[in-house]
Amino acid sequence: MAVNLELLEELVAFKRYGTLTATAEHLMITQPTVTRGMKKLEDDLGVTLFDRSVKNRLVLTETGELAADEAAKLLQHVDDFEEKILNFDHLKNELPASSTIPGPLMFLEYYQKEFPGKVQVNHRLLAPEEVVPELFNLKAKLVFSSQEIMTDEIESLYLGNEFLKVAIDPFDPLATHSSLTFKDLGNKSFLVFQDIGQWKKVIEDNIENANFLYQNDMNTMEAISQNSNFPFFISNLTQSLPSTTDRSSADGPNRVIVNLDDPNNQMEVYVSYLTSNRRQLQPLLKKLNQAWPKE
């Protein structure tokens, strides 16, 4: 018996919206169409999905509730199947990369000409819980994060640590220090790019009474950096990139880069991938591991 997926969609919508009218409006079909569809689904399955004993009202039976829940799962599997096949076909000759933190992506994008394969960087940062689905759904072949994943289907390669540094106005007394702690930075105002992933919690949790002036646009960040004395953060992965050096100078250096010697200023970086893609990715992984900054 083949069940019509459209009828399952109607069933799921009915459970969510509660009435035939609301279901029809959501699906942009007529109410009689929904009525006929639900009756046909009952006939196809050979079960009673609706309690019709209440006048002018349709209510799901216990069997109907179960059927709607299982239909929702099945429809999600169908969506995942379609997405996975389309992603595979579209990206089979490319190497899309995602991350939970921006530094590895900026590093990869700048040096990608040195890496084998056609690397594509997705700058929308992932939440940590999105790493595994991102790989399984073939949205990315490489995902950088602070978590090591070792299963039969996914494995991770440790690349090294990312750590922050602070770019400070040369006239700020803190600029004379060879290193600082997060505690030393308390009560200051910082320019920060809005999407810094897991680093956001690190700086907000460890720098007391600080003001973080979050910016959504990198060009705006650069302009404000060059025309103000607000300190900002860089990392060992981004320190040498043009986007960073441009922000650190305006007709000459206007920031001093100071190391942050703090136990909380460290994030292990792993690159995770499907084990089935290991052979394809090995040349890139080797180059990436060699190019990763060691300090």
Side-chain angles (χ1 to χ4, degrees), residues 95-101 104-105 108 120 122 124-136 138-149 154-157 159 198 269-274 281 284-285 288:
L95 298 174
S98 299
S99 182
T100 63
I101 44 181
L105 290 181
L108 177 65
Q120 286 190 334
N122 174 17
R124 185 192 73 81
L125 296 185
L126 306 176
E129 61 270 17
E130 293 181 290
V131 172
V132 171
E134 187 86 352
L135 291 169
F136 277 141
L138 304 183
K139 291 182 179 180
K141 290 186 178 179
L142 298 167
V143 179
F144 299 93
S145 74
S146 62
Q147 59 182 313
E148 181 180 25
I149 305 172
I154 298 176
E155 63 186 24
S156 300
L157 172 68
L159 293 172
Q198 294 168 272
V269 180
Y270 296 87
V271 57
S272 300
Y273 48 90
L274 296 178
L281 295 173
L284 184 148
L285 294 173
L288 187 60

Side-chain angles (χ1 to χ4, degrees), residues 35-279:
T35 302
R36 289 193 298 270
M38 294 302 89
K39 184 64 174 70
K40 184 177 188 314
L41 184 59
E42 286 182 313
D43 293 341
D44 289 346
L45 294 174
V47 298
T48 300
L49 300 175
F50 298 92
D51 181 356
R52 295 176 173 83
S53 62
V54 181
K55 187 177 180 180
N56 297 324
R57 187 180 178 192
L58 214 57
V59 179
L60 286 171
T61 63
E62 288 187 13
T63 301
E65 294 276 354
L66 175 62
D69 290 341
E70 293 302 314
K73 296 177 185 177
L74 178 59
L75 291 172
Q76 184 60 56
H77 284 310
V78 171
D79 288 343
D80 290 344
F81 165 79
E82 292 178 350
E83 180 182 48
K84 192 169 186 177
I85 297 303
L86 290 173
N87 286 340
F88 176 81
D89 185 67
H90 179 63
L91 301 174
K92 59 186 176 182
N93 296 317
E94 299 173 347
L95 298 174
S98 299
S99 182
T100 63
I101 44 181
L105 290 181
M106 296 171 68
F107 178 81
L108 177 65
E109 186 172 47
Y110 183 71
Y111 289 104
Q112 64 180 314
K113 292 182 179 179
E114 300 181 18
F115 300 136
K118 189 177 180 181
V119 178
Q120 286 190 334
V121 172
N122 174 17
H123 288 285
R124 185 192 73 81
L125 296 185
L126 306 176
E129 61 270 17
E130 293 181 290
V131 172
V132 171
E134 187 86 352
L135 291 169
F136 277 141
N137 290 332
L138 304 183
K139 291 182 179 180
K141 290 186 178 179
L142 298 167
V143 179
F144 299 93
S145 74
S146 62
Q147 59 182 313
E148 181 180 25
I149 305 172
M150 299 300 289
T151 68
D152 290 340
E153 294 90 4
I154 298 176
E155 63 186 24
S156 300
L157 172 68
Y158 172 70
L159 293 172
N161 291 328
E162 183 178 24
F163 47 86
L164 300 180
K165 303 181 180 186
V166 61
I168 304 178
D169 184 277
F171 297 103
D172 189 315
L174 293 180
T176 62
H177 293 244
S178 59
S179 66
L180 297 167
T181 66
F182 283 133
K183 185 176 180 180
D184 295 327
L185 301 178
N187 302 301
K188 284 189 169 295
S189 295
F190 298 87
L191 274 178
V192 185
F193 192 60
Q194 179 67 39
D195 201 4
I196 57 172
Q198 294 168 272
W199 280 115
K200 184 175 183 179
K201 180 173 174 56
V202 173
I203 61 174
E204 290 183 350
D205 286 353
N206 291 284
I207 305 178
E208 297 181 355
N209 302 317
N211 293 314
F212 299 106
L213 309 176
Y214 289 106
Q215 303 295 316
N216 288 314
D217 181 73
M218 184 56 74
N219 291 329
T220 302
M221 282 279 295
E222 292 179 8
I224 297 176
S225 298
Q226 292 181 350
N227 293 282
S228 73
N229 60 358
F230 290 118
F232 57 85
F233 298 102
I234 62 174
S235 84
N236 57 317
L237 296 181
T238 64
Q239 182 173 357
S240 300
L241 304 186
S243 59
T244 299
T245 56
D246 288 347
R247 293 171 60 201
S248 301
S249 64
D251 299 325
N254 69 346
R255 293 293 192 283
V256 174
I257 307 300
V258 181
N259 292 326
L260 290 174
D261 186 7
D262 192 289
N264 295 307
N265 180 32
Q266 178 174 292
M267 194 172 295
E268 293 184 338
V269 180
Y270 296 87
V271 57
S272 300
Y273 48 90
L274 296 178
T275 54
S276 57
N277 288 330
R278 183 194 300 132
R279 183 182 297 274

